[in-house]
Amino acid sequence: MTPACVPLPVLQTDYTVPSAHSTDTNYIRIAIDQTGIVTADRLKPQRAIYVSYRVAQPLGGYDSGLPKELNARVWVHEYVKRPDRQPEDAPMVLNMLDLPVADPKTKKVGPPVVPGWGPLSTRLTLPRAFGAGDSLTIMLKDKTTSAATVSLCRTTVAAESMDNGTCNDGLDNDCDGVADGDDPDCGGAGDAKSPPPPPLAKPQRSVQTKAGH
């Protein structure tokens, strides 16, 4: 697959991530903090986050073997490799994201629950993505059968505050999905960011599916 390399957002930027079946340019790659990486290595390895969208296709198509519980969801992986080559080891799955759904019985809207994963969140925050106090939030905003809209939000602000002027600048400075008067940090009644989901019991390997499988 060919990476869609994007510039890091100063605050928040939305991107369209095509489904993996529709094009080779089908994921976002974000280089993050390189602490612990041997930068003098002649192969120049780099730690990065990859954001992709996987949608099951009819028999014989790409991702035709994708199980229904993994279908039409955004995947966030981390691994170390050269920017122009596939890694030797399978990437580590950090999370799987999806939008809230209505329960067929109660009609209440809430996060979908997947066996082995629990409730799926719309967002994942990496609090030290670019170093101490420099975080990255990846948020799923919308999806269709062919693409997902994903927001990348980078910030050094832990919470909006009247003291630092972030409650009246029109920006979601702490990347919690609400800004200024709508943010509970500023006295608003909006929904604060949901707590991050519990960490996976152990790193999981990437979903591997092939046409016809």
Side-chain angles (χ1 to χ4, degrees):
M1 294 186 293
T2 303
C5 296
V6 298
L8 292 174
V10 175
L11 275 174
Q12 183 169 328
T13 307
D14 292 347
Y15 296 95
T16 298
V17 183
S19 172
H21 80 278
S22 63
T23 174
D24 287 339
T25 308
N26 56 31
Y27 56 82
I28 301 173
R29 178 181 184 275
I30 310 128
I32 58 173
D33 181 52
Q34 301 300 306
T35 299
I37 302 299
V38 182
T39 56
D41 189 315
R42 66 181 181 83
L43 297 179
K44 300 188 182 303
Q46 189 176 57
R47 179 184 292 116
I49 299 297
Y50 286 74
V51 181
S52 62
Y53 182 51
R54 309 287 292 271
V55 179
Q57 299 303 303
L59 184 63
Y62 186 86
D63 267 347
S64 61
L66 197 65
K68 65 178 182 179
E69 63 269 17
L70 306 181
N71 180 41
R73 287 175 173 140
V74 166
W75 292 81
V76 183
H77 293 81
E78 176 188 336
Y79 54 94
V80 178
K81 74 177 190 72
R82 288 180 59 178
D84 61 344
R85 292 191 178 184
Q86 293 294 325
E88 293 183 2
D89 297 324
M92 180 172 64
V93 178
L94 297 184
N95 215 331
M96 182 170 67
L97 309 179
D98 201 0
L99 298 172
V101 295
D103 185 283
K105 295 182 179 179
T106 66
K107 307 303 181 183
K108 292 183 178 180
V109 176
V113 179
V114 177
W117 292 81
L120 299 184
S121 176
T122 59
R123 72 181 69 213
L124 171 66
T125 297
L126 306 174
R128 299 174 60 93
F130 306 106
D134 194 348
S135 71
L136 172 69
T137 295
I138 301 164
M139 180 178 179
L140 172 60
K141 300 182 74 173
D142 194 16
K143 68 176 185 178
T144 66
T145 56
S146 59
T149 301
V150 174
S151 170
L152 301 184
C153 191
R154 178 179 180 176
T155 186
T156 56
V157 177
E160 294 192 17
S161 168
M162 295 296 294
D163 295 336
N164 60 18
T166 55
C167 280
N168 53 16
D169 60 0
L171 300 174
D172 178 15
N173 295 279
D174 53 5
C175 299
D176 64 356
V178 285
D180 295 355
D182 293 327
D183 194 324
D185 295 329
C186 301
D191 293 331
K193 69 178 79 173
S194 58
L200 300 177
K202 60 181 180 179
Q204 299 188 25
R205 290 188 175 272
S206 175
V207 174
Q208 302 291 334
T209 61
K210 297 181 180 179
H213 291 266

